[in-house]
Amino acid sequence: MKELKVQPIKDGTVIDHIAPGNALKVLKILGITETQPDSVISIAINVTGKRGKKDIVKIENRELDTKEVDKIALIAPNATINIIRNTEVVEKRRVEVPDEIVGIVKCANPNCISNMKEPVESKFIVKSKNPLRIKCYYCEREPDDISSQII
Amino acid sequence: MNFEGRDVISIKDFSKEEILYILEVAQKMVPIAEGKEKSDLLSNYIMASLFFEPSTRTRLSFETAMKRLGGMVIGFSQPGTTSIQKGETLADTIRTAESYCDVIVMRHPNEGSARLAAEFASVPIINGGDGAGHHPTQCLLDLFTIKREKGSIEKNRIALVGDLKYGRTVHSLAYALALFGVDMMFVSPPELQMPKEVVEECREMGVDVTISNKLDNLDEIDVLYVTRIQKERFPDPEEYSRVAGSYRIDLKTLENAKEDLIVMHPLPRVDEISSEVDKTKHAAYFRQTFNGVPVRMALIALVLGEVK
């Protein structure tokens, strides 16, 4: 008998092709936590797909908009977004790195003004999308490891 | 070329043509900076000079620049006497200062502080140094000095010597010299080498860069730009003395130098240039210090829109 590890969803968003081990980070970046009572969230980690292992996140009853999903491009640049309505995929697209990243990544430079108690959010300018290179808008430093600097 | 309302945060915010224009305006300011001519160009303006960190030359030359053009100056050089002591943010300090003045000059210990200030201020912000970040007015006065002393920026071979890793002036200067197509020699102890990204950037801009830990071939150099090697970079004081001593410029070092070689230094110096060099025709560092005044006069007048 075939066993379904993760149930298909009726309405909502499926984020597929997340690099293995990054599903929880994706949820963190999207700001989706257990405090959202209307959404059932299923997470599959290390699922074997056609192109090797991957993570999948399914969020029920919530359609993520472009701005929200593009944030995850920082750690899951190959992810695909599927919008599901009444069990049908009505929209499928890849994530795209935005030109500016605001309030998601903390500057790695402890002496940067954005790490002081100032009324500003961290801000990074995308220098290159592939490979992904970003620099702090304020101090212009490039983080060595972007994923470790995610707020 | 219109600079009215512009912030001066990094030398990278300016094109080669804009830099040349600023230097051209600075040249016209020289007689006023020397006190030979009077000017009331900025008589209706107030400059706020906000120095959150110690400074001698940058603060004094900015204030002199404003006053030589008939303007007024408010500000502080000891943040301990202000509400910053009570925990006020930089953003609030800037919003307060801008309501009293027409232009703000600031030095602050955190990188990116001038960029942040510019976000909150509607008056122009001029960066007088932000931590280990940028010091664009130093860079402009260095270029102005080379131009005044040598006739042009382009036709020189320039050696940057000393602490090239942490010295904020040399990073901006290397970029600006590369913009002018100047070939450079970076001379430093291995532990204080020019950061890789600065070297790469210069090479990508098409200039020839040589890296060395020895100051030789002085007969090929037109400008020797010396920086201070700071004691605190070395855990061992003896190691510091040994390293710092090997880059000391004295009469013996200059024996093989070209007749018209100039020695520059952003100052303050400690031991890196012997005082006996001061009397030689090579010593350009005090003229360089003076050049901070006309360059800063030009910048203030340009961003206030009184020179177009």
Side-chain angles (χ1 to χ4, degrees):
Chain A
M1 192 178 81
K2 193 175 173 187
E3 188 188 340
L4 271 177
K5 284 181 182 159
V6 180
Q7 297 278 349
I9 61 171
K10 186 167 175 284
D11 295 292
T13 308
V14 174
I15 308 169
D16 200 356
H17 301 293
I18 302 167
N22 282 304
L24 294 172
K25 276 187 187 168
V26 166
L27 285 178
K28 191 181 163 198
I29 290 179
L30 291 173
I32 296 168
T33 65
E34 66 280 5
T35 57
Q36 293 193 306
D38 297 337
S39 288
V40 172
I41 299 160
S42 318
I43 303 164
I45 295 174
N46 280 334
V47 179
T48 306
K50 284 179 198 160
R51 286 175 273 167
K53 296 216 170 193
K54 62 178 182 178
D55 288 3
I56 304 170
V57 169
K58 297 187 179 191
I59 305 156
E60 289 183 41
N61 300 321
R62 192 173 154 195
E63 292 185 11
L64 298 178
D65 66 32
T66 309
K67 210 179 154 200
E68 279 181 293
V69 295
D70 281 347
K71 288 181 186 177
I72 67 170
L74 293 177
I75 54 156
N78 299 317
T80 53
I81 309 298
N82 302 282
I83 303 295
I84 317 287
R85 285 183 203 148
N86 205 13
T87 67
E88 296 287 324
V89 178
V90 293
E91 190 188 332
K92 189 180 183 99
R93 62 177 195 87
R94 299 185 80 91
V95 295
E96 200 177 306
V97 180
D99 296 329
E100 255 183 30
I101 297 156
V102 180
I104 301 167
V105 180
K106 184 180 170 350
C107 184
N109 171 12
N111 203 40
C112 174
I113 194 76
S114 68
N115 286 325
M116 303 298 138
K117 284 181 183 162
E118 294 293 337
V120 289
E121 286 193 284
S122 72
K123 185 160 143 187
F124 284 80
I125 308 296
V126 175
K127 280 180 78 180
S128 133
K129 294 190 177 180
N130 190 19
L132 184 61
R133 282 179 68 190
I134 61 173
K135 73 167 183 179
C136 174
Y137 170 76
Y138 294 101
C139 77
E140 301 179 9
R141 295 270 178 94
E142 284 188 44
D144 292 332
D145 176 15
I146 297 170
S147 67
S148 69
Q149 294 302 125
I150 289 170
I151 295 166
Chain B
M1 226 173 269
N2 190 3
F3 288 78
E4 188 173 356
R6 265 181 85 168
D7 301 305
V8 181
I9 308 295
S10 157
I11 195 70
K12 292 185 180 179
D13 297 338
F14 295 91
S15 67
K16 182 179 165 184
E17 289 67 33
E18 286 174 329
I19 292 172
L20 283 170
Y21 186 66
I22 295 166
L23 304 189
E24 201 183 304
V25 176
Q27 185 59 44
K28 290 180 186 152
M29 295 288 183
V30 169
I32 308 168
E34 288 172 336
K36 290 176 183 163
E37 287 178 22
K38 291 219 175 303
S39 169
D40 58 0
L41 187 69
L42 302 182
S43 62
N44 292 322
Y45 293 98
I46 296 176
M47 179 185 91
S49 160
L50 311 183
F51 278 71
F52 299 79
E53 263 198 333
S55 162
T56 302
R57 276 152 291 274
T58 305
R59 185 173 66 83
L60 291 179
S61 65
F62 260 117
E63 295 185 7
T64 302
M66 190 64 184
K67 289 178 178 176
R68 289 280 195 207
L69 290 172
M72 289 162 282
V73 178
I74 58 167
F76 55 80
S77 55
Q78 288 175 317
T81 60
T82 70
S83 287
I84 296 148
Q85 187 75 1
K86 299 172 191 163
E88 186 168 48
T89 60
L90 173 63
D92 282 1
T93 308
I94 293 296
R95 282 187 281 212
T96 304
E98 74 153 352
S99 61
Y100 305 143
C101 70
D102 306 292
V103 57
I104 294 173
V105 172
M106 60 177 280
R107 170 172 287 185
H108 193 277
N110 291 116
E111 284 96 70
S113 50
R115 190 77 70 193
L116 179 134
E119 280 195 322
F120 286 91
S122 53
V123 301
I125 296 284
I126 303 179
N127 184 6
D130 59 332
H134 298 289
H135 196 357
T137 63
Q138 177 72 46
C139 184
L140 287 165
L141 81 87
D142 291 341
L143 294 174
F144 185 60
T145 302
I146 297 169
K147 195 164 188 293
R148 279 193 92 188
E149 298 278 332
K150 309 294 289 182
S152 80
I153 297 169
E154 286 90 347
K155 293 169 192 155
N156 295 293
R157 189 163 165 76
I158 299 184
L160 306 183
V161 183
D163 176 358
L164 305 185
K165 185 176 181 184
Y166 299 101
R168 66 182 159 199
T169 63
V170 284
H171 302 166
S172 308
L173 184 60
Y175 168 84
L177 290 172
L179 199 61
F180 282 85
V182 174
D183 293 337
M184 286 172 274
M185 246 176 95
F186 296 153
V187 184
S188 69
E191 54 272 61
L192 295 176
Q193 268 184 9
M194 188 67 95
K196 204 174 63 193
E197 55 274 19
V198 179
V199 176
E200 276 171 16
E201 190 173 42
C202 291
R203 286 182 175 151
E204 277 166 19
M205 289 165 82
V207 299
D208 182 28
V209 170
T210 317
I211 296 166
S212 169
N213 56 9
K214 262 195 190 148
L215 183 58
D216 43 22
N217 300 8
L218 212 59
D219 53 333
E220 293 171 14
I221 302 295
D222 302 294
V223 178
L224 194 59
Y225 192 97
V226 185
T227 62
R228 184 160 56 101
I229 295 178
Q230 294 178 51
K231 216 174 198 166
E232 54 268 32
R233 305 290 179 213
F234 292 84
D236 178 2
E238 275 183 32
E239 177 71 1
Y240 160 74
S241 302
R242 188 189 61 75
V243 170
S246 63
Y247 295 92
R248 185 177 156 86
I249 310 296
D250 53 21
L251 293 181
K252 197 169 180 306
T253 327
L254 295 172
E255 267 172 7
N256 298 323
K258 278 187 180 181
E259 271 286 287
D260 59 351
L261 166 102
I262 59 163
V263 180
M264 293 172 65
H265 193 301
L267 303 181
R269 68 170 157 175
V270 183
D271 296 319
E272 54 279 4
I273 302 175
S274 158
S275 59
E276 64 196 20
V277 178
D278 298 358
K279 296 186 203 84
T280 70
K281 56 184 180 296
H282 301 299
Y285 30 92
F286 292 117
R287 295 193 293 274
Q288 181 184 358
T289 301
F290 164 77
N291 287 337
V293 179
V295 166
R296 287 167 176 136
M297 287 165 91
L299 276 174
I300 301 168
L302 283 163
V303 299
L304 288 174
E306 286 299 327
V307 172
K308 299 281 183 196

